[in-house]
């Protein structure tokens, strides 16, 4: 994050960024009859914003890549693209947020994990086309800048960038009193990646006989939380601090709901380097059918066998408490799979070995057959 402002860098301290000069104002020589109104009186603290940035600097520097130019505090982040690595480099971009999972973080006053969710939502969309994430720009809007809280959020974003191998190049923290409550905030980010034009993953690469490999999610990830809150905390009247036996290790509902989203970017880049990957599908809003269908050409179907995996207990809890039908669950949640890779049948074993070697829980979940561009969900999940 580069600076803090109300909206877009409109504010500056009375002494300026680095000197003692007072800003000019009309009639400044007149005797003031009343105390002048300050930015702080309107609810915006520039000093708190500056403190938040200072607290974050060491974390942000840990995400630095060799291509990053300059230091924090500039009006724009600079990144030197190494064009010698590519014949025809194509830039990829993605923008996303975390959604109402933030409500859980605010209720629990735990803010150091949602930044990881934010990075995951962006970089795993980038890698789905084969792009290496290069850098990310974040945006935090809050009712009141509390430096320690903003630093916690930013630290999670920096951690996510390190896991993804991209630089946190800059961003913005905006204080919006009167729009958001003092304890409220929202976050979003934009990421940029690069891929060789001839290596772009696309539906055109998918062939009949290819294998569908699933990669386990860490839980709910960052989708469906409006339904989750309605079912569990609203109608279900459950408390976030209640221990759920099925979760194990004396884990509370709140801890489960704040489990950070798995970041697959580096694992997928390694997979692309080691095996014949046709395409990747990041499972977010829309669930497995709604996202896997996006990477299929019109002449094939993907057959996914539910019996090849068991969803985490949180999905059973949501479904039973809300009496939610199977189609609605699968259209809303990832059901235990955060990413799919479609690979050639010849490279399926190599692909699984590569992912397993990197600690990714992966398995063959289906295959590509002749069809009309649809996802066929067959079988039933194992229970108990």
């Amino acid at each position: 994050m580069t600076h803090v402002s109300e909206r877009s860098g409109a504010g500056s301290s009375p002494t300026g960024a680095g000197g003692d000069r007072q800003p000019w104002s009309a009639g400044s020589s007149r005797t003031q009859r009343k105390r002048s109104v300050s930015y702080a009186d309107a609810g915006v603290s520039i000093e708190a914003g500056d403190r938040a940035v200072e607290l974050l600097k060491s974390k942000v520097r840990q995400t630095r890549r060799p291509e990053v130019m300059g230091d924090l505090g500039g009006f724009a982040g600079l990144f030197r693209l190494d064009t010698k690595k590519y014949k025809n480099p194509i830039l990829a971009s993605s923008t996303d947020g975390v959604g109402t999972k933030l409500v859980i973080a605010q209720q629990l006053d735990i803010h150091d994990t949602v930044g990881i969710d934010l990075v995951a939502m962006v970089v795993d969309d980038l890698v789905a086309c084969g792009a290496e994430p290069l850098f990310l720009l974040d945006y935090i809007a809050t009712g009141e800048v509390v430096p320690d809280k903003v630093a916690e959020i930013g630290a999670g974003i920096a951690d996510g960038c390190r896991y993804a191998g991209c630089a946190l190049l800059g961003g913005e923290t905006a204080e919006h009193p009167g729009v958001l409550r003092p304890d409220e905030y929202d976050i979003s980010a934009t990421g940029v990646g690069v891929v060789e034009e001839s290596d772009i993953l696309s539906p055109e690469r998918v062939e009949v006989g290819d294998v569908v490999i699933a990669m386990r999610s860490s839980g709910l990830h960052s989708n469906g939380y409006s339904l989750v809150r309605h079912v569990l905390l609203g109608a279900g009247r459950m408390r976030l601090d209640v221990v759920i036996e099925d979760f194990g290790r004396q884990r509370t509902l709140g801890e489960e709901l704040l489990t950070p989203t798995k970041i697959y970017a580096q694992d997928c880049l390694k997979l692309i380097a080691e095996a014949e990957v046709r395409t990747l599908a990041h499972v977010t809003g829309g669930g497995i059918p709604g996202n896997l269908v996006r990477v299929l050409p019109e002449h094939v179907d993907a057959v996914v066998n539910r019996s090849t995996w068991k969803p985490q207990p949180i999905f059973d809890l949501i479904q039973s408490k809300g009496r939610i039908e199977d189609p609605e669950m699968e259209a809303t949640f990832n059901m235990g799979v955060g990413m799919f890779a479609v690979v050639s049948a010849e490279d399926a074993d190599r692909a699984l070995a590569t992912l397993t070697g990197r600690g990714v829980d992966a398995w063959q979940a289906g295959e590509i057959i002749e069809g009309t561009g649809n996802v066929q969900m067959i079988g039933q999940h194992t229970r108990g």
Side-chain angles (χ1 to χ4, degrees):
M1 296 182 295
T2 55
H3 60 280
V4 180
S5 72
E6 180 185 42
R7 293 186 64 241
S8 56
S12 60
S13 65
T15 60
D20 298 324
R21 292 181 298 170
Q22 298 291 331
W24 180 89
S25 62
S28 59
S29 62
R30 297 179 182 177
T31 302
Q32 298 287 339
R33 294 183 178 181
K34 295 183 180 180
R35 183 177 69 86
S36 62
V37 177
S38 70
Y39 213 2
D41 291 329
V44 178
S45 172
I46 297 169
E47 290 76 12
D50 291 342
R51 174 60 179 159
V53 172
E54 285 299 317
L55 291 173
L56 270 172
K57 280 186 175 180
S58 62
K59 272 283 192 178
V60 175
R61 288 193 178 103
Q62 292 175 21
T63 74
R64 190 178 181 94
R65 289 173 53 121
E67 303 96 328
V68 174
M69 302 172 63
D71 204 350
L72 299 175
F75 286 98
L78 301 177
F79 191 96
R80 187 193 304 275
L81 180 62
D82 185 2
T83 55
K84 294 180 181 179
K85 289 176 58 177
Y86 307 92
K87 293 180 179 178
N88 295 295
I90 302 297
L91 294 179
S93 64
S94 176
T95 296
D96 214 329
V98 176
T100 60
K101 187 173 186 175
L102 295 178
V103 176
I104 307 297
Q106 291 161 19
Q107 289 177 336
L108 292 174
D109 197 25
I110 297 174
H111 313 286
D112 60 349
T113 61
V114 290
I116 299 174
D117 293 298
L118 178 62
V119 176
M121 297 297 286
V122 173
V123 299
D124 287 340
D125 275 355
L126 289 176
V127 81
C129 71
E132 175 191 0
L134 297 176
F135 60 83
L136 183 134
L137 302 167
D138 67 3
Y139 179 80
I140 303 172
T142 181
E144 178 183 355
V145 171
V146 178
D148 288 341
K149 180 188 292 186
V150 172
E152 285 185 52
I153 299 168
I157 298 172
D159 285 341
C161 286
R162 286 194 298 106
Y163 303 153
C166 66
L168 181 52
L169 194 60
E172 168 81 347
T173 298
E175 195 165 28
H176 290 173
V179 178
L180 298 169
R181 294 197 309 266
D183 61 332
E184 285 184 326
Y185 61 85
D186 196 9
I187 58 178
S188 64
T190 296
V192 173
V194 63
V195 58
E196 184 69 60
E197 185 173 10
S198 60
D199 295 334
I200 295 174
L201 304 181
S202 66
E204 289 72 25
R205 290 174 172 251
V206 178
E207 300 177 1
V208 172
D210 286 344
V211 170
V212 178
I213 291 177
M215 302 176 219
R216 185 171 293 279
S217 68
S218 57
L220 291 171
H221 284 186
S222 299
N223 295 104
Y225 273 77
S226 293
L227 179 57
V228 169
R229 292 186 300 111
H230 172 72
V231 167
L232 300 185
L233 307 182
R237 298 183 179 180
M238 296 184 70
R239 292 166 48 100
L240 292 172
D241 61 357
V242 65
V243 174
I244 306 296
E245 183 177 348
D246 288 344
F247 294 165
R249 304 189 309 279
Q250 292 295 302
R251 189 171 174 83
T252 66
L253 177 61
E255 289 171 329
E256 178 65 30
L257 295 183
L258 281 189
T259 301
T261 304
K262 169 72 175 172
I263 296 178
Y264 301 94
Q266 289 298 307
D267 302 314
C268 288
L269 289 173
K270 183 65 173 178
L271 179 62
I272 292 169
E274 296 292 331
E276 183 64 35
V277 177
R278 311 293 198 193
T279 191
L280 295 166
H282 184 200
V283 184
T284 54
I288 292 172
N291 286 281
L292 190 52
V293 73
R294 296 164 65 180
V295 299
L296 297 178
E298 293 183 354
H299 66 280
V300 306
D301 282 0
V303 179
V304 177
N305 193 336
R306 300 183 188 91
S307 68
T308 60
W309 82 94
K310 177 183 176 182
Q312 293 91 333
I314 184 64
F315 297 104
D316 284 337
L317 178 65
I318 294 167
Q319 185 165 18
S320 62
K321 283 286 186 180
R323 301 175 185 175
I324 303 172
E325 299 292 333
D326 288 344
E328 183 68 19
M329 289 292 295
E330 290 189 337
T332 306
F333 303 107
N334 66 60
M335 299 305 294
V337 178
M339 183 74 79
F340 282 105
V342 179
V343 305
S344 67
E346 296 79 9
D347 274 8
D349 289 341
R350 180 190 294 271
L352 288 170
T354 298
L355 291 170
T356 301
R358 293 183 60 83
V360 179
D361 186 359
W363 63 94
Q364 182 172 333
E367 61 180 340
I368 302 297
I369 65 171
E370 292 185 2
T372 56
N374 294 310
V375 177
Q376 301 180 27
M377 303 292 293
I378 65 171
Q380 297 297 323
H381 294 300
T382 57
R383 305 286 181 179

